[in-house]
Amino acid sequence: ALLSGQVDAIDLVDTRIAERISETAGFQVVRSKGKAHYTIPMLYDMAPTDDHHVRMALKHAIDRKQMIDVVLQGFGEIGNDHPISSVNKYFNSELPQRVYDPDKAKFHLKKAGMENLTVKLSTSEGIWEGAVDAALLYSASAAKAGINLEVNKVPSDGYWADVWLKHPWSASYWSGRPTEDWMFTVAYAAGGSWNESRWAHPRFNELLKAARGELNEDKARDMYWEMQQLCSDEGGSVIALFADHLIGHS
């Protein structure tokens, strides 16, 4: 519609056609960093993801750079297993970035006594473009860590009712929220209806409550920074990708 002149601008440009648009005379793609991110929540109360070392192994077994290059065609930023974007006010810029490390993944599997781990990741094309491809890439990178990651491709119809929050490990996504408090409250606070990993961390919840009423910005920043660190190191979600927001126009 855009290239034929039927419309002047389009929102949510598919990354697979963004380059084609930008290379066409008379058109361009505006790219901005966003808060949308893709998550792979592991249920805290179901085996084998109820084990801390299993979760850490899976976090080290994903090639985040490859995901950005292949799934998002470079239009995104690498995630660090917490839901706060680099455009958020209280983004923790000093938190060490987790990288693909098969040896470290093997270390955690040994600690868990599961050196021949087999896990099943449920996903569907209907949840976000490239979700199945991302799972297949993840499976390939995890294999180098000795993890047999089986991709369970399920129908899009009924995914959010029958798979999400029910399967031990499933793909998900969030458009993000304007503030750190809103994002953490809706998806990470203990007892929340959309807490997709069923995570309940006492220190995290204590900080979340305290930060809401903290008027000193330096103190609030320290609280939100610690919450991001807790999410990254002890939380139940693999968060490898933050997607850019793309708009195409004439």
Side-chain angles (χ1 to χ4, degrees):
L2 176 69
L3 297 180
S4 67
Q6 297 178 58
V7 298
D8 297 310
I10 57 175
D11 194 11
L12 302 177
V13 175
D14 190 319
T15 56
R16 295 173 299 181
I17 64 170
E19 188 173 347
R20 177 188 168 198
I21 293 173
S22 62
E23 292 179 348
T24 302
F27 299 91
Q28 65 177 352
V29 172
V30 176
R31 171 183 178 181
S32 62
K33 295 179 181 180
K35 298 177 182 180
H37 55 282
Y38 304 127
T39 68
I40 313 177
M42 303 172 277
L43 295 188
Y44 239 71
D45 55 1
M46 294 183 71
T49 56
D50 57 348
D51 187 290
H52 169 74
H53 289 290
V54 169
R55 294 191 299 272
M56 290 302 291
L58 292 171
K59 289 178 180 180
H60 282 103
I62 187 169
D63 190 333
R64 299 161 195 263
K65 178 63 167 59
Q66 183 187 49
M67 287 281 186
I68 292 288
D69 293 341
V70 176
V71 178
L72 295 182
Q73 303 295 307
F75 294 105
E77 290 189 312
I78 292 174
N80 205 14
D81 300 322
H82 66 74
I84 306 306
S85 163
S86 64
V87 300
N88 276 94
K89 179 177 181 178
Y90 294 119
F91 171 71
N92 188 340
S93 58
E94 296 181 4
L95 186 66
Q97 174 63 55
R98 184 162 292 124
V99 298
Y100 178 46
D101 191 335
D103 290 333
K104 191 166 287 188
K106 290 177 182 178
F107 166 81
H108 284 288
L109 289 178
K110 187 174 182 179
K111 285 283 188 180
M114 299 183 190
E115 291 158 283
N116 297 306
L117 177 67
T118 293
V119 286
K120 183 179 291 187
L121 172 56
S122 298
T123 188
S124 173
E125 281 293 359
I127 55 174
W128 48 273
E129 196 68 47
V132 173
D133 290 341
L136 292 172
L137 285 173
Y138 194 176
S139 178
S141 65
K144 296 178 182 178
I147 300 171
N148 177 27
L149 195 162
E150 300 175 352
V151 178
N152 179 30
K153 183 179 178 181
V154 299
S156 302
D157 186 37
Y159 185 89
W160 301 108
D162 303 325
V163 178
W164 184 60
L165 301 180
K166 294 181 175 61
H167 287 204
W169 203 26
S170 63
S172 178
Y173 84 95
W174 289 86
S175 59
R177 294 296 185 271
T179 67
E180 290 81 352
D181 174 73
W182 193 351
M183 188 67 244
F184 278 142
T185 298
V186 73
Y188 296 87
S193 58
W194 285 357
N195 183 333
E196 56 186 3
S197 65
R198 299 177 191 162
W199 190 47
H201 193 287
R203 175 60 177 168
F204 175 88
N205 286 285
E206 175 188 341
L207 287 167
L208 181 60
K209 184 176 180 179
R212 289 184 189 135
E214 182 53 65
L215 300 180
N216 183 302
E217 290 197 355
D218 290 336
K219 291 181 179 179
R221 179 201 61 212
D222 290 344
M223 293 178 185
Y224 286 118
W225 277 34
E226 184 179 347
M227 281 185 267
Q228 289 166 67
Q229 179 266 316
L230 290 171
C231 257
S232 181
D233 292 343
E234 301 183 43
S237 284
V238 176
I239 304 176
L241 306 174
F242 278 81
D244 288 346
H245 190 74
L246 304 178
I247 296 175
H249 67 87
S250 62

